[in-house]
C-alpha cells in the first residue's frame, strides 16, 4: 500500500469515527498531494518519497501557522494547527536526533573535504539526500554552518 493509499484509507476511517481534526488534516494533505500531482506540464503519480516531501511541507506550514497564531494571542487557532501537525507527523519518518545529524554533517564534511563557510553549499548538497524528510532544512543548514565555522 502506498502512502497516498494509506492517507485515503485513514481518511475514510476518520470520517466513520467522526474525528474532525484527523478528517480536516487528511483532506488538506490529500488536496496538497493531488495538487502536486497535476502541477507542471503533465499529470503524474507521486512516489512515496514525493508524498513525504509534500507532507513535510504541510507540517512545516502548520508549525509556522501555530507560531504566528500563538504570537497574535489566538491560542485556539494555534492549538488547532498544532493538533493538525501531530496528525501529519504520524505519516512522516522519525526525525533525526541532534547527535545523528551532527554525525551525518561531520561525515559529509570529511567526504567532501570542505573547509570554511564558503563550502556550505557543497556540504548541504552531500547531506540533503541522507536526511531527506528526517530533518528540516533550516536545522541541517544551522548544523552545517556551525561545524564549518568552528
Amino acid at each position: 500500500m502506498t502512502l497516498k493509499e494509506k492517507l485515503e484509507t485513514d481518511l475514510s476511517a476518520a470520517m466513520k469515527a467522526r474525528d474532525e481534526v484527523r478528517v480536516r488534516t487528511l483532506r488538506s494533505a490529500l488536496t496538497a498531494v493531488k495538487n502536486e500531482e497535476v502541477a507542471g506540464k503533465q499529470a503524474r503519480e507521486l512516489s512515496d518519497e514525493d508524498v513525504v516531501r509534500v507532507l513535510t511541507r504541510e507540517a512545516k506550514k502548520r508549525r509556522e501557522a501555530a507560531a504566528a497564531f500563538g504570537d497574535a494571542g489566538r491560542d485556539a487557532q494555534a492549538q488547532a494547527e498544532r493538533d493538525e501537525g501531530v496528525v501529519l507527523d504520524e505519516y512522516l519518518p522519525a526525525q533525526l536526533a541532534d547527535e545523528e545529524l551532527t554525525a551525518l554533517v561531520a561525515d559529509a564534511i570529511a567526504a567532501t573535504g570542505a573547509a570554511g563557510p564558503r563550502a556550505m553549499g557543497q556540504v548541504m548538497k552531500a547531506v540533503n539526500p541522507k536526511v531527506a524528510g528526517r530533518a528540516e532544512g533550516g536545522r541541517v543548514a544551522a548544523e552545517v554552518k556551525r561545524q564549518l565555522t568552528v
Side-chain angles (χ1 to χ4, degrees):
M1 176 184 281
T2 67
L3 185 54
K4 181 180 172 188
E5 290 168 345
K6 180 169 176 33
L7 289 169
E8 291 167 343
T9 303
D10 290 354
L11 173 60
S12 178
M15 290 170 90
K16 290 176 184 170
R18 300 199 186 284
D19 184 346
E20 292 181 26
V21 173
R22 188 171 285 282
V23 168
R24 182 177 62 234
T25 305
L26 293 177
R27 276 188 176 152
S28 70
L30 281 167
T31 299
V33 168
K34 289 177 181 169
N35 285 341
E36 187 73 21
E37 286 178 336
V38 298
K41 295 183 185 227
Q42 186 173 338
R44 61 192 168 92
E45 188 72 26
L46 294 182
S47 68
D48 279 354
E49 290 134 18
D50 293 331
V51 173
V52 166
R53 207 169 299 122
V54 171
L55 293 179
T56 302
R57 191 169 54 231
E58 290 297 306
K60 182 178 179 191
K61 286 179 189 177
R62 300 307 189 285
R63 282 191 299 277
E64 291 172 350
F69 282 134
D71 292 345
R74 298 172 69 183
D75 297 328
Q77 287 94 340
Q79 186 58 47
E81 294 292 336
R82 281 192 289 273
D83 293 344
E84 288 186 17
V86 168
V87 172
L88 289 173
D89 287 343
E90 294 173 18
Y91 298 95
L92 295 172
Q95 295 293 299
L96 287 174
D98 290 338
E99 302 81 37
E100 293 172 300
L101 181 59
T102 301
L104 282 172
V105 170
D107 291 345
I109 290 172
T112 59
R118 289 182 173 220
M120 188 167 170
Q122 181 183 8
V123 176
M124 288 294 290
K125 191 183 289 185
V127 170
N128 276 335
K130 296 176 185 170
V131 300
R134 299 185 303 153
E136 200 170 285
R139 191 172 149 224
V140 175
E143 181 61 27
V144 170
K145 187 174 185 178
R146 185 187 71 74
Q147 287 191 30
L148 286 175
T149 56
V150 171

